[in-house]
mmCIF file of all heavy atoms in Angstrom:
data_model
loop_
_atom_site.group_PDB
_atom_site.id
_atom_site.type_symbol
_atom_site.label_atom_id
_atom_site.label_comp_id
_atom_site.label_asym_id
_atom_site.label_seq_id
_atom_site.Cartn_x
_atom_site.Cartn_y
_atom_site.Cartn_z
ATOM 1 N N ALA Y 227 26.754 -16.351 37.928
ATOM 2 C CA ALA Y 227 27.145 -16.687 36.552
ATOM 3 C C ALA Y 227 25.972 -17.287 35.786
ATOM 4 O O ALA Y 227 25.772 -16.985 34.597
ATOM 5 C CB ALA Y 227 28.321 -17.652 36.561
ATOM 6 N N ALA Y 228 25.193 -18.134 36.448
ATOM 7 C CA ALA Y 228 24.038 -18.753 35.802
ATOM 8 C C ALA Y 228 22.991 -17.714 35.432
ATOM 9 O O ALA Y 228 22.492 -17.677 34.297
ATOM 10 C CB ALA Y 228 23.434 -19.812 36.718
ATOM 11 N N LEU Y 229 22.652 -16.839 36.380
ATOM 12 C CA LEU Y 229 21.643 -15.815 36.128
ATOM 13 C C LEU Y 229 22.121 -14.810 35.075
ATOM 14 O O LEU Y 229 21.348 -14.379 34.217
ATOM 15 C CB LEU Y 229 21.286 -15.092 37.430
ATOM 16 C CG LEU Y 229 20.578 -15.938 38.494
ATOM 17 C CD1 LEU Y 229 20.369 -15.122 39.768
ATOM 18 C CD2 LEU Y 229 19.258 -16.469 37.969
ATOM 19 N N GLY Y 230 23.411 -14.449 35.150
ATOM 20 C CA GLY Y 230 23.960 -13.529 34.158
ATOM 21 C C GLY Y 230 23.928 -14.118 32.760
ATOM 22 O O GLY Y 230 23.597 -13.427 31.786
ATOM 23 N N SER Y 231 24.255 -15.402 32.636
ATOM 24 C CA SER Y 231 24.235 -16.066 31.338
ATOM 25 C C SER Y 231 22.813 -16.167 30.802
ATOM 26 O O SER Y 231 22.563 -15.944 29.605
ATOM 27 C CB SER Y 231 24.854 -17.465 31.456
ATOM 28 O OG SER Y 231 26.211 -17.383 31.843
ATOM 29 N N PHE Y 232 21.887 -16.504 31.689
ATOM 30 C CA PHE Y 232 20.477 -16.599 31.291
ATOM 31 C C PHE Y 232 19.973 -15.242 30.807
ATOM 32 O O PHE Y 232 19.281 -15.145 29.786
ATOM 33 C CB PHE Y 232 19.647 -17.092 32.478
ATOM 34 C CG PHE Y 232 18.182 -17.265 32.171
ATOM 35 C CD1 PHE Y 232 17.739 -18.363 31.456
ATOM 36 C CD2 PHE Y 232 17.256 -16.331 32.600
ATOM 37 C CE1 PHE Y 232 16.388 -18.526 31.169
ATOM 38 C CE2 PHE Y 232 15.908 -16.473 32.322
ATOM 39 C CZ PHE Y 232 15.469 -17.581 31.608
ATOM 40 N N TYR Y 233 20.329 -14.194 31.525
ATOM 41 C CA TYR Y 233 19.897 -12.843 31.179
ATOM 42 C C TYR Y 233 20.477 -12.416 29.828
ATOM 43 O O TYR Y 233 19.752 -11.898 28.964
ATOM 44 C CB TYR Y 233 20.333 -11.867 32.277
ATOM 45 C CG TYR Y 233 19.994 -10.423 32.003
ATOM 46 C CD1 TYR Y 233 18.706 -9.945 32.211
ATOM 47 C CD2 TYR Y 233 20.971 -9.530 31.547
ATOM 48 C CE1 TYR Y 233 18.395 -8.611 31.961
ATOM 49 C CE2 TYR Y 233 20.660 -8.198 31.300
ATOM 50 C CZ TYR Y 233 19.374 -7.746 31.521
ATOM 51 O OH TYR Y 233 19.071 -6.432 31.271
ATOM 52 N N MET Y 234 21.780 -12.641 29.637
ATOM 53 C CA MET Y 234 22.411 -12.238 28.384
ATOM 54 C C MET Y 234 21.818 -12.989 27.207
ATOM 55 O O MET Y 234 21.533 -12.397 26.156
ATOM 56 C CB MET Y 234 23.922 -12.475 28.438
ATOM 57 C CG MET Y 234 24.650 -12.055 27.164
ATOM 58 S SD MET Y 234 26.449 -12.267 27.277
ATOM 59 C CE MET Y 234 26.959 -11.684 25.654
ATOM 60 N N SER Y 235 21.610 -14.294 27.355
ATOM 61 C CA SER Y 235 21.061 -15.094 26.264
ATOM 62 C C SER Y 235 19.663 -14.617 25.893
ATOM 63 O O SER Y 235 19.350 -14.417 24.712
ATOM 64 C CB SER Y 235 21.019 -16.573 26.669
ATOM 65 O OG SER Y 235 20.471 -17.364 25.626
ATOM 66 N N GLY Y 236 18.817 -14.430 26.898
ATOM 67 C CA GLY Y 236 17.458 -13.996 26.622
ATOM 68 C C GLY Y 236 17.392 -12.591 26.054
ATOM 69 O O GLY Y 236 16.653 -12.321 25.091
ATOM 70 N N GLU Y 237 18.176 -11.690 26.625
ATOM 71 C CA GLU Y 237 18.152 -10.298 26.184
ATOM 72 C C GLU Y 237 18.641 -10.139 24.745
ATOM 73 O O GLU Y 237 18.100 -9.337 23.975
ATOM 74 C CB GLU Y 237 19.008 -9.447 27.120
ATOM 75 C CG GLU Y 237 18.362 -9.146 28.444
ATOM 76 C CD GLU Y 237 17.199 -8.178 28.310
ATOM 77 O OE1 GLU Y 237 17.429 -7.004 27.977
ATOM 78 O OE2 GLU Y 237 16.059 -8.616 28.520
ATOM 79 N N GLU Y 238 19.680 -10.889 24.375
ATOM 80 C CA GLU Y 238 20.236 -10.732 23.035
ATOM 81 C C GLU Y 238 19.248 -11.161 21.954
ATOM 82 O O GLU Y 238 19.305 -10.666 20.829
ATOM 83 C CB GLU Y 238 21.543 -11.534 22.905
ATOM 84 C CG GLU Y 238 22.703 -10.949 23.692
ATOM 85 C CD GLU Y 238 23.108 -9.564 23.219
ATOM 86 O OE1 GLU Y 238 22.964 -9.282 22.016
ATOM 87 O OE2 GLU Y 238 23.551 -8.752 24.045
ATOM 88 N N ALA Y 239 18.358 -12.080 22.294
ATOM 89 C CA ALA Y 239 17.318 -12.504 21.341
ATOM 90 C C ALA Y 239 16.000 -11.809 21.613
ATOM 91 O O ALA Y 239 14.980 -12.169 21.034
ATOM 92 C CB ALA Y 239 17.138 -14.017 21.407
ATOM 93 N N SER Y 240 16.020 -10.789 22.493
ATOM 94 C CA SER Y 240 14.789 -10.129 22.940
ATOM 95 C C SER Y 240 13.762 -11.170 23.373
ATOM 96 O O SER Y 240 12.581 -11.069 23.049
ATOM 97 C CB SER Y 240 14.224 -9.215 21.834
ATOM 98 O OG SER Y 240 15.045 -8.086 21.668
ATOM 99 N N TRP Y 241 14.261 -12.193 24.063
ATOM 100 C CA TRP Y 241 13.444 -13.264 24.628
ATOM 101 C C TRP Y 241 12.624 -13.993 23.561
ATOM 102 O O TRP Y 241 11.509 -14.449 23.824
ATOM 103 C CB TRP Y 241 12.567 -12.732 25.763
ATOM 104 C CG TRP Y 241 13.417 -12.105 26.825
ATOM 105 C CD1 TRP Y 241 13.676 -10.773 26.995
ATOM 106 C CD2 TRP Y 241 14.184 -12.785 27.824
ATOM 107 N NE1 TRP Y 241 14.547 -10.575 28.036
ATOM 108 C CE2 TRP Y 241 14.874 -11.794 28.573
ATOM 109 C CE3 TRP Y 241 14.346 -14.135 28.175
ATOM 110 C CZ2 TRP Y 241 15.722 -12.111 29.633
ATOM 111 C CZ3 TRP Y 241 15.190 -14.453 29.236
ATOM 112 C CH2 TRP Y 241 15.868 -13.448 29.941
ATOM 113 N N GLY Y 242 13.220 -14.095 22.367
ATOM 114 C CA GLY Y 242 12.593 -14.840 21.279
ATOM 115 C C GLY Y 242 12.010 -13.975 20.186
ATOM 116 O O GLY Y 242 11.666 -14.476 19.108
ATOM 117 N N GLN Y 243 11.912 -12.671 20.405
ATOM 118 C CA GLN Y 243 11.312 -11.792 19.407
ATOM 119 C C GLN Y 243 12.093 -11.777 18.104
ATOM 120 O O GLN Y 243 11.500 -11.716 17.020
ATOM 121 C CB GLN Y 243 11.199 -10.368 19.953
ATOM 122 C CG GLN Y 243 10.470 -9.409 19.016
ATOM 123 C CD GLN Y 243 10.387 -7.998 19.568
ATOM 124 O OE1 GLN Y 243 11.299 -7.555 20.258
ATOM 125 N NE2 GLN Y 243 9.295 -7.307 19.280
ATOM 126 N N HIS Y 244 13.425 -11.857 18.189
ATOM 127 C CA HIS Y 244 14.239 -11.849 16.977
ATOM 128 C C HIS Y 244 13.980 -13.077 16.114
ATOM 129 O O HIS Y 244 14.195 -13.039 14.896
ATOM 130 C CB HIS Y 244 15.729 -11.786 17.341
ATOM 131 C CG HIS Y 244 16.137 -10.469 17.905
ATOM 132 N ND1 HIS Y 244 17.436 -10.195 18.309
ATOM 133 C CD2 HIS Y 244 15.441 -9.321 18.128
ATOM 134 C CE1 HIS Y 244 17.498 -8.955 18.761
ATOM 135 N NE2 HIS Y 244 16.308 -8.408 18.663
ATOM 136 N N TRP Y 245 13.548 -14.156 16.733
ATOM 137 C CA TRP Y 245 13.297 -15.388 15.994
ATOM 138 C C TRP Y 245 11.849 -15.503 15.537
ATOM 139 O O TRP Y 245 11.573 -15.890 14.412
ATOM 140 C CB TRP Y 245 13.660 -16.613 16.843
ATOM 141 C CG TRP Y 245 15.096 -16.656 17.246
ATOM 142 C CD1 TRP Y 245 16.154 -16.074 16.603
ATOM 143 C CD2 TRP Y 245 15.645 -17.304 18.389
ATOM 144 N NE1 TRP Y 245 17.332 -16.315 17.263
ATOM 145 C CE2 TRP Y 245 17.050 -17.078 18.371
ATOM 146 C CE3 TRP Y 245 15.116 -18.067 19.421
ATOM 147 C CZ2 TRP Y 245 17.903 -17.579 19.339
ATOM 148 C CZ3 TRP Y 245 15.961 -18.566 20.393
ATOM 149 C CH2 TRP Y 245 17.341 -18.321 20.354
ATOM 150 N N PHE Y 246 10.913 -15.170 16.422
ATOM 151 C CA PHE Y 246 9.495 -15.394 16.128
ATOM 152 C C PHE Y 246 8.777 -14.137 15.639
ATOM 153 O O PHE Y 246 7.617 -14.197 15.254
ATOM 154 C CB PHE Y 246 8.800 -15.966 17.364
ATOM 155 C CG PHE Y 246 9.403 -17.261 17.833
ATOM 156 C CD1 PHE Y 246 10.168 -17.310 18.987
ATOM 157 C CD2 PHE Y 246 9.227 -18.427 17.100
ATOM 158 C CE1 PHE Y 246 10.738 -18.501 19.428
ATOM 159 C CE2 PHE Y 246 9.790 -19.625 17.521
ATOM 160 C CZ PHE Y 246 10.546 -19.665 18.679
ATOM 161 N N GLN Y 247 9.490 -12.998 15.688
ATOM 162 C CA GLN Y 247 9.018 -11.766 15.065
ATOM 163 C C GLN Y 247 7.669 -11.285 15.584
ATOM 164 O O GLN Y 247 6.834 -10.794 14.827
ATOM 165 C CB GLN Y 247 8.930 -11.955 13.544
ATOM 166 C CG GLN Y 247 10.239 -12.313 12.864
ATOM 167 C CD GLN Y 247 11.291 -11.210 12.988
ATOM 168 O OE1 GLN Y 247 11.009 -10.058 12.699
ATOM 169 N NE2 GLN Y 247 12.486 -11.570 13.398
ATOM 170 N N TRP Y 248 7.435 -11.415 16.895
ATOM 171 C CA TRP Y 248 6.204 -10.829 17.424
ATOM 172 C C TRP Y 248 6.368 -9.319 17.555
ATOM 173 O O TRP Y 248 7.480 -8.792 17.631
ATOM 174 C CB TRP Y 248 5.802 -11.474 18.751
ATOM 175 C CG TRP Y 248 6.776 -11.272 19.882
ATOM 176 C CD1 TRP Y 248 7.115 -10.094 20.488
ATOM 177 C CD2 TRP Y 248 7.527 -12.283 20.549
ATOM 178 N NE1 TRP Y 248 8.022 -10.308 21.493
ATOM 179 C CE2 TRP Y 248 8.297 -11.654 21.557
ATOM 180 C CE3 TRP Y 248 7.617 -13.672 20.427
ATOM 181 C CZ2 TRP Y 248 9.133 -12.344 22.413
ATOM 182 C CZ3 TRP Y 248 8.449 -14.363 21.272
ATOM 183 C CH2 TRP Y 248 9.215 -13.706 22.259
ATOM 184 N N SER Y 249 5.255 -8.633 17.606
ATOM 185 C CA SER Y 249 5.288 -7.171 17.688
ATOM 186 C C SER Y 249 5.399 -6.732 19.141
ATOM 187 O O SER Y 249 4.974 -7.438 20.059
ATOM 188 C CB SER Y 249 4.030 -6.570 17.061
ATOM 189 O OG SER Y 249 2.858 -7.060 17.709
ATOM 190 N N THR Y 250 5.995 -5.569 19.341
ATOM 191 C CA THR Y 250 6.155 -5.004 20.681
ATOM 192 C C THR Y 250 4.946 -4.139 21.017
ATOM 193 O O THR Y 250 4.480 -3.368 20.177
ATOM 194 C CB THR Y 250 7.434 -4.143 20.748
ATOM 195 O OG1 THR Y 250 8.546 -4.925 20.307
ATOM 196 C CG2 THR Y 250 7.686 -3.652 22.161
ATOM 197 N N SER Y 251 4.454 -4.285 22.229
ATOM 198 C CA SER Y 251 3.309 -3.472 22.628
ATOM 199 C C SER Y 251 3.688 -1.997 22.622
ATOM 200 O O SER Y 251 4.851 -1.630 22.826
ATOM 201 C CB SER Y 251 2.830 -3.881 24.027
ATOM 202 O OG SER Y 251 3.790 -3.511 25.002
ATOM 203 N N SER Y 252 2.717 -1.137 22.397
ATOM 204 C CA SER Y 252 2.984 0.299 22.315
ATOM 205 C C SER Y 252 3.524 0.847 23.634
ATOM 206 O O SER Y 252 4.392 1.728 23.649
ATOM 207 C CB SER Y 252 1.706 1.047 21.922
ATOM 208 O OG SER Y 252 0.651 0.770 22.845
ATOM 209 N N ASP Y 253 3.033 0.313 24.759
ATOM 210 C CA ASP Y 253 3.501 0.780 26.067
ATOM 211 C C ASP Y 253 4.969 0.443 26.267
ATOM 212 O O ASP Y 253 5.747 1.271 26.765
ATOM 213 C CB ASP Y 253 2.660 0.149 27.188
ATOM 214 C CG ASP Y 253 1.235 0.678 27.201
ATOM 215 O OD1 ASP Y 253 1.010 1.771 26.651
ATOM 216 O OD2 ASP Y 253 0.360 -0.010 27.751
ATOM 217 N N TRP Y 254 5.362 -0.783 25.893
ATOM 218 C CA TRP Y 254 6.761 -1.184 26.079
ATOM 219 C C TRP Y 254 7.668 -0.478 25.067
ATOM 220 O O TRP Y 254 8.774 -0.068 25.411
ATOM 221 C CB TRP Y 254 6.908 -2.701 25.946
ATOM 222 C CG TRP Y 254 8.252 -3.181 26.391
ATOM 223 C CD1 TRP Y 254 9.297 -3.550 25.610
ATOM 224 C CD2 TRP Y 254 8.712 -3.297 27.739
ATOM 225 N NE1 TRP Y 254 10.379 -3.909 26.372
ATOM 226 C CE2 TRP Y 254 10.045 -3.766 27.690
ATOM 227 C CE3 TRP Y 254 8.127 -3.064 28.976
ATOM 228 C CZ2 TRP Y 254 10.802 -3.983 28.840
ATOM 229 C CZ3 TRP Y 254 8.872 -3.296 30.121
ATOM 230 C CH2 TRP Y 254 10.192 -3.743 30.045
ATOM 231 N N ALA Y 255 7.182 -0.305 23.847
ATOM 232 C CA ALA Y 255 7.979 0.382 22.830
ATOM 233 C C ALA Y 255 8.272 1.826 23.229
ATOM 234 O O ALA Y 255 9.293 2.393 22.843
ATOM 235 C CB ALA Y 255 7.253 0.345 21.491
ATOM 236 N N ALA Y 256 7.389 2.402 24.030
ATOM 237 C CA ALA Y 256 7.571 3.795 24.448
ATOM 238 C C ALA Y 256 8.747 3.967 25.395
ATOM 239 O O ALA Y 256 9.346 5.048 25.468
ATOM 240 C CB ALA Y 256 6.294 4.308 25.108
ATOM 241 N N ILE Y 257 9.114 2.904 26.128
ATOM 242 C CA ILE Y 257 10.233 3.007 27.068
ATOM 243 C C ILE Y 257 11.466 2.256 26.594
ATOM 244 O O ILE Y 257 12.513 2.305 27.236
ATOM 245 C CB ILE Y 257 9.830 2.493 28.468
ATOM 246 C CG1 ILE Y 257 9.463 0.994 28.419
ATOM 247 C CG2 ILE Y 257 8.691 3.309 29.047
ATOM 248 C CD1 ILE Y 257 9.219 0.384 29.783
ATOM 249 N N ASN Y 258 11.351 1.542 25.472
ATOM 250 C CA ASN Y 258 12.473 0.787 24.920
ATOM 251 C C ASN Y 258 12.993 1.527 23.700
ATOM 252 O O ASN Y 258 12.265 1.712 22.720
ATOM 253 C CB ASN Y 258 12.018 -0.626 24.545
ATOM 254 C CG ASN Y 258 13.172 -1.521 24.134
ATOM 255 O OD1 ASN Y 258 13.748 -1.333 23.064
ATOM 256 N ND2 ASN Y 258 13.504 -2.490 24.964
ATOM 257 N N ASP Y 259 14.265 1.947 23.748
ATOM 258 C CA ASP Y 259 14.758 2.832 22.687
ATOM 259 C C ASP Y 259 14.927 2.156 21.334
ATOM 260 O O ASP Y 259 15.210 2.814 20.336
ATOM 261 C CB ASP Y 259 16.058 3.531 23.109
ATOM 262 C CG ASP Y 259 17.166 2.556 23.450
ATOM 263 O OD1 ASP Y 259 17.116 1.397 22.975
ATOM 264 O OD2 ASP Y 259 18.092 2.935 24.191
ATOM 265 N N GLN Y 260 14.783 0.811 21.282
ATOM 266 C CA GLN Y 260 14.806 0.121 19.995
ATOM 267 C C GLN Y 260 13.481 -0.578 19.699
ATOM 268 O O GLN Y 260 13.376 -1.334 18.738
ATOM 269 C CB GLN Y 260 15.960 -0.888 19.953
ATOM 270 C CG GLN Y 260 17.323 -0.214 19.921
ATOM 271 C CD GLN Y 260 18.454 -1.191 19.647
ATOM 272 O OE1 GLN Y 260 18.231 -2.330 19.234
ATOM 273 N NE2 GLN Y 260 19.673 -0.751 19.884
ATOM 274 N N GLY Y 261 12.468 -0.333 20.543
ATOM 275 C CA GLY Y 261 11.153 -0.902 20.302
ATOM 276 C C GLY Y 261 11.115 -2.415 20.362
ATOM 277 O O GLY Y 261 10.341 -3.058 19.636
ATOM 278 N N GLU Y 262 11.943 -3.017 21.241
ATOM 279 C CA GLU Y 262 12.019 -4.472 21.355
ATOM 280 C C GLU Y 262 11.557 -4.922 22.743
ATOM 281 O O GLU Y 262 11.509 -4.139 23.686
ATOM 282 C CB GLU Y 262 13.453 -4.953 21.097
ATOM 283 C CG GLU Y 262 13.955 -4.624 19.701
ATOM 284 C CD GLU Y 262 15.413 -5.018 19.503
ATOM 285 O OE1 GLU Y 262 16.167 -4.999 20.490
ATOM 286 O OE2 GLU Y 262 15.786 -5.334 18.364
ATOM 287 N N THR Y 263 11.271 -6.214 22.850
ATOM 288 C CA THR Y 263 10.821 -6.752 24.137
ATOM 289 C C THR Y 263 12.020 -7.248 24.953
ATOM 290 O O THR Y 263 12.196 -8.446 25.171
ATOM 291 C CB THR Y 263 9.800 -7.899 23.939
ATOM 292 O OG1 THR Y 263 10.362 -8.884 23.073
ATOM 293 C CG2 THR Y 263 8.509 -7.380 23.356
ATOM 294 N N ASN Y 264 12.851 -6.317 25.349
ATOM 295 C CA ASN Y 264 13.972 -6.641 26.219
ATOM 296 C C ASN Y 264 14.119 -5.538 27.256
ATOM 297 O O ASN Y 264 13.444 -4.507 27.187
ATOM 298 C CB ASN Y 264 15.266 -6.825 25.413
ATOM 299 C CG ASN Y 264 15.583 -5.617 24.552
ATOM 300 O OD1 ASN Y 264 15.521 -4.473 25.006
ATOM 301 N ND2 ASN Y 264 15.939 -5.859 23.295
ATOM 302 N N PHE Y 265 14.994 -5.766 28.222
ATOM 303 C CA PHE Y 265 15.187 -4.809 29.306
ATOM 304 C C PHE Y 265 16.393 -3.893 29.086
ATOM 305 O O PHE Y 265 16.402 -2.756 29.543
ATOM 306 C CB PHE Y 265 15.357 -5.549 30.640
ATOM 307 C CG PHE Y 265 14.154 -6.346 31.049
ATOM 308 C CD1 PHE Y 265 14.125 -7.717 30.857
ATOM 309 C CD2 PHE Y 265 13.054 -5.734 31.619
ATOM 310 C CE1 PHE Y 265 13.013 -8.465 31.220
ATOM 311 C CE2 PHE Y 265 11.936 -6.463 31.996
ATOM 312 C CZ PHE Y 265 11.912 -7.832 31.793
ATOM 313 N N HIS Y 266 17.428 -4.399 28.385
ATOM 314 C CA HIS Y 266 18.675 -3.647 28.338
ATOM 315 C C HIS Y 266 18.584 -2.377 27.512
ATOM 316 O O HIS Y 266 19.454 -1.511 27.625
ATOM 317 C CB HIS Y 266 19.832 -4.540 27.847
ATOM 318 C CG HIS Y 266 19.767 -4.899 26.395
ATOM 319 N ND1 HIS Y 266 19.047 -5.970 25.925
ATOM 320 C CD2 HIS Y 266 20.355 -4.339 25.308
ATOM 321 C CE1 HIS Y 266 19.186 -6.059 24.617
ATOM 322 N NE2 HIS Y 266 19.968 -5.080 24.215
ATOM 323 N N ASN Y 267 17.551 -2.256 26.696
ATOM 324 C CA ASN Y 267 17.373 -1.013 25.941
ATOM 325 C C ASN Y 267 16.471 -0.014 26.657
ATOM 326 O O ASN Y 267 16.059 0.979 26.067
ATOM 327 C CB ASN Y 267 16.784 -1.319 24.547
ATOM 328 C CG ASN Y 267 17.790 -1.984 23.637
ATOM 329 O OD1 ASN Y 267 18.979 -1.709 23.708
ATOM 330 N ND2 ASN Y 267 17.320 -2.887 22.792
ATOM 331 N N THR Y 268 16.154 -0.291 27.912
ATOM 332 C CA THR Y 268 15.304 0.633 28.668
ATOM 333 C C THR Y 268 16.096 1.469 29.663
ATOM 334 O O THR Y 268 15.621 2.520 30.082
ATOM 335 C CB THR Y 268 14.212 -0.137 29.440
ATOM 336 O OG1 THR Y 268 14.831 -1.008 30.406
ATOM 337 C CG2 THR Y 268 13.362 -0.979 28.486
ATOM 338 N N SER Y 269 17.292 1.003 30.040
ATOM 339 C CA SER Y 269 18.070 1.718 31.051
ATOM 340 C C SER Y 269 19.531 1.306 30.985
ATOM 341 O O SER Y 269 19.852 0.137 30.719
ATOM 342 C CB SER Y 269 17.517 1.419 32.453
ATOM 343 O OG SER Y 269 18.386 1.887 33.452
ATOM 344 N N SER Y 270 20.425 2.260 31.238
ATOM 345 C CA SER Y 270 21.856 1.938 31.272
ATOM 346 C C SER Y 270 22.188 1.009 32.434
ATOM 347 O O SER Y 270 23.187 0.295 32.409
ATOM 348 C CB SER Y 270 22.687 3.218 31.382
ATOM 349 O OG SER Y 270 22.451 3.870 32.621
ATOM 350 N N TRP Y 271 21.336 0.998 33.470
ATOM 351 C CA TRP Y 271 21.549 0.108 34.618
ATOM 352 C C TRP Y 271 21.342 -1.354 34.237
ATOM 353 O O TRP Y 271 21.792 -2.248 34.953
ATOM 354 C CB TRP Y 271 20.624 0.487 35.765
ATOM 355 C CG TRP Y 271 21.025 1.760 36.434
ATOM 356 C CD1 TRP Y 271 20.535 3.014 36.200
ATOM 357 C CD2 TRP Y 271 22.030 1.908 37.444
ATOM 358 N NE1 TRP Y 271 21.173 3.943 36.989
ATOM 359 C CE2 TRP Y 271 22.090 3.292 37.769
ATOM 360 C CE3 TRP Y 271 22.882 1.016 38.103
ATOM 361 C CZ2 TRP Y 271 22.968 3.793 38.727
ATOM 362 C CZ3 TRP Y 271 23.756 1.522 39.049
ATOM 363 C CH2 TRP Y 271 23.799 2.888 39.356
#
């Protein structure tokens, strides 16, 4: 429950990107379908 909550909180804010507006690296944007610094947009798993 702790790890799941931590993961959901971080992922929903793209680990702070939504707040601090940093840019996503081109390599990560290529595998992230929304061009964000999170994991949940890279795979259905």
Side-chain angles (χ1 to χ4, degrees):
L229 294 176
S231 297
F232 182 77
Y233 177 79
M234 181 177 180
S235 179
E237 284 290 292
E238 289 297 329
S240 289
W241 303 99
Q243 185 181 33
H244 290 180
W245 299 335
F246 301 107
Q247 300 296 310
W248 64 65
S249 58
T250 306
S251 69
S252 57
D253 291 339
W254 191 257
I257 63 173
N258 187 289
D259 59 23
Q260 291 190 14
E262 298 176 330
T263 54
N264 55 47
F265 297 101
H266 71 274
N267 288 326
T268 63
S269 169
S270 65
W271 288 96

